[in-house]
Amino acid sequence: AAELCQGKPPELVKWQSLATHRLAQMAAAAASSGARRGRASKGGLRGARRRLSVVSDNKLVEGLQPIGTVADESVQSKEIDHVVRTYAGVSKKGYAPYNPRKRNQDAIMMVEDAKTMTLLFGVLDGHGEAGDLVSHYITARLPDRTFANPKWETDPVAAIAAETARLEKSVLSDASIDTDFSGTTSVVCTIRDRKIDVANIGDSRIIVGRAVSGGKFEAVPLSDDHKPDRPDEQRRIESAGGRVFAVEYDDGVDGPPRVWLGHMDIPGLAMARSLGDAVAHSAGVISTPELTHYDIKPEDKIVVLASDGLWEFMTNQEVIDLIVKTGLDDPKRAVDVLVEEANQRWLKEEAVIDDTTVIVAFLK
């Protein structure tokens, strides 16, 4: 084995070792669940199946920790004098029967800057063995750093992008957090005056609910998920030498398209942009946020940010319809109803529940 490693870069040797272990795990999983390696994805998914992760190397799978516990959820609700009249959010740990000590890898931000009368909302969805450490590292530091950025008062989304990039650099260099196969999504927005500015990385999502004729509401997306088979994302990944394909299952339903190195079947990341994920970034995954600037219209009454624990089995329109049915007075109730509905759909489709984070804001 030592002879085989001679002349190879240390990181390649490490990844090959991890890949050998991981492929053995995948083979064992295939024998029990009927999974097999898929061909390159060309026509999108035939189904919405999503495994919580492709297993990486060893000790912490889906945030499994040897000791310690984490609260199931954290909730905040508040009424303010702002274009946002009231808001609430929750981050709830999921459920995996094979992982009784699973940690909540999602993280949530709901912070007010009184000086600029700005609300900063954010949802981060961590993944991999240290995903919770990455997502919480970002949320613990991003608000204060963003508010102190010289561009904050004039170009808030530029300030968010700059500070997010600095924090990613810091977390990648933090020896206590192994980011080779761990990272997080990030959808962050500011609401100031009647403008929403969005910085999105990955497949968490933000939408607006707009009143239309007949008492109906329509869902208006303010972000576009960075899935590996989104044409522009797939072109970039393949140009960088990476591959995009899904794992297929014997029941005829594909898993999601994933990103793989050109020369070995790692890391299997199910998104095209993320923070962290050092190995995936060598295959064309990037952490550059996609920026959106949106002028709030008089008909806009609802803003929703959420991790894919909500979006995996619910459409944008279903989310808005359920909020309207629940009522536009109590955002905490709306959040609770959404999380409960998402959890039930996960159990029906997958027999597991992803971590689910939801923020709902009602506009004046």
Side-chain angles (χ1 to χ4, degrees), residues 270-333:
M271 64 200 68
R273 301 192 192 195
S274 71
L275 296 167
D277 291 301
V279 173
H281 279 231
S282 69
V285 171
I286 62 174
S287 56
T288 305
E290 195 165 24
L291 307 181
T292 304
H293 306 276
Y294 181 76
D295 293 324
I296 298 173
K297 298 173 174 55
E299 299 81 15
D300 296 333
K301 301 299 179 185
I302 306 166
V303 179
V304 183
L305 292 83
S307 63
D308 71 346
L310 179 70
W311 307 115
E312 184 64 29
F313 299 113
M314 296 185 70
T315 67
N316 293 352
Q317 191 60 50
E318 284 179 315
V319 167
I320 293 300
D321 289 345
L322 189 54
I323 293 173
V324 173
K325 182 179 179 180
T326 303
L328 303 185
D329 297 320
D330 184 356
K332 183 181 181 301
R333 173 167 168 73

Side-chain angles (χ1 to χ4, degrees), residues 250-272:
D250 286 339
D251 61 6
V253 181
D254 290 352
R258 296 182 184 272
V259 180
W260 313 86
L261 297 181
H263 59 290
M264 66 178 75
D265 289 341
I266 58 172
L269 187 65
M271 64 200 68

Side-chain angles (χ1 to χ4, degrees), residues 332-350:
K332 183 181 181 301
R333 173 167 168 73
V335 165
D336 291 342
V337 168
L338 287 173
V339 171
E340 177 62 24
E341 179 65 22
N343 287 354
Q344 292 303 315
R345 296 194 186 196
W346 270 96
L347 285 174
K348 180 180 178 181
E349 297 290 336
E350 295 282 353

Side-chain angles (χ1 to χ4, degrees), residues 52 64-65 81 86 88 109 137 142 185 193 245 247 256 280 307 326 361:
L52 290 182
L64 176 62
Q65 294 281 14
D81 183 18
T86 183
M109 291 188 300
Y137 186 100
L142 185 60
T185 71
D193 299 324
F245 64 82
V247 174
S307 63
T326 303

Side-chain angles (χ1 to χ4, degrees), residues 33-54:
S33 67
R36 62 184 185 277
R37 176 178 166 176
R39 58 185 176 276
S41 174
K42 295 181 179 179
L45 289 176
R46 286 182 282 139
R49 174 167 297 187
R50 175 188 181 276
R51 299 302 182 221
L52 290 182
S53 81
V54 169

